[in-house]
Amino acid sequence: MKEYIDTPTYMGYATQQRSRKYILGLLTLLLTYQIYHAHGPITTQVPFAPVPPPPCDQTSFPEIPEPPPEAVEAWNQLRELFDAHPPNVELEHADFEGGQTVKPTVELLDQFLDLTSAEAKDMQNEHAQVVQNIPQYPDGQFSGKGIVIIAGGKYSEYASTTLGMIRLLGGRLPVEVWMKDRNEEQQGWCEDLAPQGMACRFVEDYIDDMSPFSHHYQLKTPVILLSSFSEILFLDSDSLPVVNPDRVFDAPAYRLLGAVLWPDYWGTTESPWTPYITGAKNKKDLGRPTYQTVDSGQMMWNKEMHWQTLALAAYYNFYGPQYFYTLITQGGPGWGDKDTFPTALRALSAPWHFVPHKLETQRYDGGRGYGIGTGMAMLQADPRYNNEQRPMFLHSNFVKMSARRLMCGTCIEDESALSEKQRENGEDVEFDGRVIMRKDPVWEMLNFSKRIFATRVKIENEKERNEKEEEQKKKKKKNEEEEEDEDEDDDKGNGKKEQEKKTSSKAGSNKSSKSKDRGTGQGGDRKEEDNSEDEAEEEGGQSKLKTQSISRSRSILQRKPQLKSESDTQASVQQDKEPFELNWMGRLNTERDIWRVLERSACEGVWSEERLCRRTRRHLDLTFGKMERWRGECVGSMEG
């Protein structure tokens, strides 16, 4: 007998089976995600990459002129002037006892350098001769606005990221990339830069004797003076713009004063002899200086307005390692070029703008096991806004933005090459196709395809915050109750005293009437009684004032715990600045843009390597989502 299958029943059964499979598959995916989310690395995923802005103006860049011969001649005159007025003593550099970052006393600042009054006087005379004989500004020889960067050697890799960000964000200003000599050039790099409106310059082509320049940062003042630009935005190789840097020249303070400097973390630790030697004051300054130090990773200069300032700063840097760096910094942090610039400005009483916004520290997005307490870059504010803190530069003083440094070391293919890297970096390295420092959380995060920068500042977890708020509420309520009890006690005491006063007054009136009845013979007794009553009333008044004073003191002492402690104040400051770090990162997509520039460096040009390119693209795609590859065209800026 032939069996017949009920078609509707069979179809319903099949549909149920398929639905069951789909549901089981979905539950499996959800379970896998939950396990990964709970136990795996925390990864910021962007499923669909933001659409970049439309390309900006693609017209070709004009050719950048060479530094004028008049600038070279002016430097030669300065060099002769500097040679004629060297420091009369050499100041040895050493840290403060207890480390650079200890807060020195006035006595320590005064006694740290073994500098006599006679030596300071002699140096003041030498300094005055330099100021009086600075050559005149070469009028008409410099032109236009431009960006100046010092590169060379390892700094060229960092500079390539900064240069890429300038063009990626829509910057169109010409750029001079200065290196000490041709030995510092990565072969072929300058040819790659030329079509992008950037020109390589070598200091040795304009300065014959390079022997005084033992430190790279000593070159800042010579290259600013020699540059063909009349208005300059100077950037360290590792100071990346986060918005279009061309707009910084629109800052009203710059247009008015011609010089803009940004703050560093520390207060000055200069010698009390510094203002005397430089002519800023007519005697040794024994008070504690209160001004902030400077981060010279980004500076703005109008050379015509500040030619003398820059020439004097060049003098300080020319003799920096032997004398001026130690005179200006002593044993504190920041020994080097950075505070020679404000020192020169103060010496000449020249006008300048100091960006008023506090330096913010950009931190690791530390993730699991690292926390968010480690700083990695200095976030400097836009000088166009005095009343609002907006970001302009990310000075990567701790973690350098180089694809090879972050992703691949040198991408060594064989383990035999590791020994050299171990000698350079110490034994705490591993070999996995690249050099890995086990203690460095940045590389650990990159292995997990994480963002480097913190997108928010974690102050304390929600539970701790709630407990703290609850504790503060309890303290406040307790203090209010105690104050109410004291007020009630005061009212009762005052009522009792008032009753005593009334009783005393009534008794006095009775005595008075009795004395009247007794006649004039009792007058002396009445006077003595009145005096005793006055004394009793005076004592009662003093007692009342004393009681009120004690009560008020107790009230103040009891209210004191409500005042914010130092840690509470710091947390409050961090909470205030949280939206700042949140908003600029999310709105500007800065880290995504940095990685797009790093990808280009890894995959094209003089630093490209196949393995480095592959790893960089993988990190970019996994962390920020797949996007159209950037080939060097500018894409504008998301900042208004």
Side-chain angles (χ1 to χ4, degrees):
M1 186 176 186
K2 192 172 183 180
E3 288 186 330
Y4 292 93
I5 299 174
D6 187 352
T7 302
T9 302
Y10 174 80
M11 292 297 292
Y13 175 79
T15 303
Q16 288 179 357
Q17 288 292 99
R18 283 196 298 271
S19 300
R20 188 176 291 111
K21 288 181 180 178
Y22 292 148
I23 292 171
L24 286 173
L26 182 60
L27 289 173
T28 303
L29 285 173
L30 287 172
L31 181 61
T32 304
Y33 173 77
Q34 289 295 331
I35 293 172
Y36 177 81
H37 184 72
H39 302 286
I42 306 169
T43 306
T44 305
Q45 295 285 350
V46 182
F48 302 102
V51 178
C56 59
D57 184 14
Q58 292 296 308
T59 57
S60 60
F61 294 91
E63 186 175 351
I64 302 173
E66 290 280 343
E70 290 77 5
V72 179
E73 178 59 29
W75 172 259
N76 290 334
Q77 293 175 19
L78 284 173
R79 175 63 188 272
E80 292 178 5
L81 182 63
F82 298 165
D83 287 339
H85 300 283
N88 52 358
V89 295
E90 186 168 327
L91 301 179
E92 184 179 353
H93 175 231
D95 293 344
F96 289 134
E97 185 177 351
Q100 289 184 352
T101 56
V102 299
K103 188 174 182 180
T105 62
V106 175
E107 291 76 16
L108 177 59
L109 292 176
D110 181 30
Q111 299 169 8
F112 185 75
L113 295 181
D114 185 17
L115 196 63
T116 67
S117 300
E119 291 169 341
K121 180 63 177 177
D122 289 344
M123 192 58 214
Q124 185 196 49
N125 294 333
E126 299 292 335
H127 185 279
Q129 288 296 314
V130 172
V131 172
Q132 292 171 14
N133 292 284
I134 291 174
Q136 293 296 313
Y137 173 72
D139 194 24
Q141 301 305 312
F142 306 108
S143 62
K145 301 180 179 71
I147 299 173
V148 171
I149 291 179
I150 292 184
K154 64 180 181 181
Y155 300 104
S156 294
E157 285 191 64
Y158 314 150
S160 66
T161 308
T162 300
L163 297 171
M165 286 295 288
I166 291 171
R167 291 294 180 249
L168 179 69
L169 295 169
R172 300 290 295 170
L173 286 174
V175 181
E176 289 181 349
V177 182
W178 285 81
M179 289 170 269
K180 188 174 182 178
D181 52 47
R182 282 176 169 76
N183 293 328
E184 291 192 333
E185 179 190 3
Q186 181 78 7
Q187 189 173 3
W189 187 46
C190 291
E191 287 77 2
D192 290 347
L193 295 178
Q196 302 176 50
M198 302 173 183
C200 287
R201 300 280 184 259
F202 301 96
V203 181
E204 68 174 1
D205 291 345
Y206 308 98
I207 297 178
D208 295 332
D209 182 10
M210 298 290 293
S211 60
F213 303 106
S214 55
H215 297 277
H216 226 252
Y217 43 74
Q218 287 180 268
L219 297 173
K220 290 184 183 181
T221 44
V223 303
I224 291 173
L225 291 168
L226 291 169
S227 168
S228 63
F229 308 131
S230 60
E231 297 182 67
I232 288 173
L233 168 62
F234 176 87
L235 294 177
D236 273 356
S237 61
D238 56 359
S239 186
L240 290 75
V242 299
V243 297
N244 186 342
D246 295 7
R247 299 172 184 173
V248 76
F249 287 98
D250 297 332
Y254 168 74
R255 294 202 301 267
L256 178 66
L257 304 175
V260 177
L261 299 177
W262 278 260
D264 209 331
Y265 290 108
W266 312 282
T268 183
T269 55
E270 71 177 13
S271 166
W273 284 115
T274 302
Y276 173 75
I277 290 171
T278 61
K281 294 186 178 180
N282 57 10
K283 63 180 181 179
K284 184 179 181 181
D285 186 3
L286 292 176
R288 177 181 289 280
T290 57
Y291 38 83
Q292 194 76 1
T293 57
V294 162
D295 170 22
S296 62
Q298 49 287 309
M299 300 182 288
M300 296 183 69
W301 294 102
N302 182 314
K303 291 199 322 193
E304 184 174 6
M305 294 176 67
H306 285 280
W307 179 258
Q308 272 201 316
T309 302
L310 291 166
L312 186 56
Y315 176 57
Y316 296 159
N317 281 278
F318 191 82
Y319 290 115
Q322 304 98 311
Y323 190 85
F324 283 103
Y325 292 165
T326 301
L327 180 72
I328 294 170
T329 310
Q330 300 203 92
W335 188 90
D337 71 284
K338 66 190 199 69
D339 286 297
T340 60
F341 298 97
T343 302
L345 286 160
R346 294 187 189 100
L348 300 173
S349 300
W352 57 296
H353 177 64
F354 192 59
V355 175
H357 301 296
K358 181 183 176 183
L359 166 62
E360 300 287 348
T361 301
Q362 184 56 53
R363 306 177 186 279
Y364 286 128
D365 186 359
R368 190 163 53 95
Y370 291 111
I372 302 189
T374 308
M376 62 158 297
M378 305 158 72
L379 190 60
Q380 296 286 13
D382 191 330
R384 293 177 295 166
Y385 307 97
N386 278 341
N387 298 322
E388 181 182 359
Q389 190 166 5
R390 297 191 185 184
M392 173 59 80
F393 300 107
L394 188 70
H395 189 180
S396 305
N397 61 321
F398 186 66
V399 177
K400 307 300 184 184
M401 295 294 106
S402 158
R404 289 204 298 173
R405 177 182 173 87
L406 291 173
M407 296 303 297
C408 211
T410 56
C411 282
I412 43 184
E413 298 291 343
D414 61 284
E415 199 161 349
S416 61
L418 183 62
S419 58
E420 182 179 352
K421 281 295 165 186
Q422 285 179 327
R423 285 195 298 272
E424 293 177 5
N425 299 290
E427 294 298 324
D428 189 30
V429 294
E430 294 177 351
F431 177 79
D432 182 21
R434 66 178 178 126
V435 176
I436 301 174
M437 298 177 68
R438 288 193 291 267
K439 294 181 180 178
D440 190 344
V442 177
W443 285 347
E444 180 75 12
M445 289 183 292
L446 292 174
N447 282 336
F448 291 142
S449 301
K450 284 186 58 59
R451 292 176 183 261
I452 299 177
F453 298 125
T455 52
R456 69 181 299 276
V457 177
K458 182 179 179 181
I459 304 190
E460 52 192 352
N461 61 47
E462 189 174 350
K463 182 179 178 182
E464 291 173 343
R465 188 178 300 162
N466 291 339
E467 289 175 353
K468 194 170 185 178
E469 289 176 357
E470 190 64 30
E471 185 179 351
Q472 291 291 339
K473 287 178 182 178
K474 288 179 180 178
K475 284 183 179 180
K476 185 177 180 181
K477 186 176 179 181
K478 183 179 179 181
N479 292 332
E480 289 174 351
E481 289 174 352
E482 289 177 352
E483 288 177 14
E484 288 175 1
D485 292 342
E486 285 180 1
D487 292 340
E488 290 177 3
D489 292 341
D490 290 343
D491 291 341
K492 289 178 181 178
N494 293 337
K496 185 177 180 181
K497 286 173 184 166
E498 190 67 29
Q499 185 66 31
E500 290 175 355
K501 186 177 179 182
K502 287 180 180 179
T503 305
S504 176
S505 177
K506 186 176 179 181
S509 63
N510 292 337
K511 287 178 183 178
S512 177
S513 60
K514 286 180 182 179
S515 64
K516 285 180 181 178
D517 294 337
R518 290 174 185 170
T520 57
Q522 301 293 328
D525 295 337
R526 178 183 172 225
K527 187 175 181 180
E528 290 176 2
E529 289 170 0
D530 288 344
N531 288 340
S532 65
E533 288 170 11
D534 291 340
E535 289 173 1
E537 188 173 344
E538 185 177 351
E539 287 180 10
Q542 290 176 350
S543 175
K544 180 180 178 181
L545 289 172
K546 188 175 181 181
T547 303
Q548 289 176 342
S549 176
I550 293 171
S551 174
R552 187 160 52 249
S553 300
R554 285 175 180 168
S555 177
I556 291 171
L557 289 171
Q558 287 165 349
R559 283 199 298 269
K560 193 173 182 180
Q562 296 179 41
L563 299 175
K564 289 185 177 180
S565 66
E566 186 177 352
S567 59
D568 292 338
T569 304
Q570 291 173 352
S572 175
V573 170
Q574 288 180 337
Q575 288 171 346
D576 290 341
K577 77 180 183 181
E578 182 176 357
F580 173 71
E581 294 200 22
L582 252 175
N583 293 338
W584 84 268
M585 265 297 180
R587 184 163 60 90
L588 298 180
N589 290 305
T590 298
E591 187 170 354
R592 181 204 66 181
D593 291 340
I594 291 173
W595 279 103
R596 294 179 77 183
V597 173
L598 292 177
E599 179 208 14
R600 186 188 182 207
S601 176
C603 301
E604 302 176 12
V606 296
W607 287 289
S608 60
E609 294 175 349
E610 182 180 352
R611 176 176 286 193
L612 175 61
C613 177
R614 187 166 62 249
R615 290 186 171 182
T616 306
R617 282 183 169 167
R618 179 179 179 274
H619 173 74
L620 185 63
D621 290 343
L622 289 176
T623 308
F624 303 98
K626 292 185 180 295
M627 63 186 73
E628 182 182 352
R629 299 297 176 199
W630 177 58
R631 297 298 178 188
E633 71 280 2
C634 54
V635 297
S637 171
M638 298 179 69
E639 191 268 346

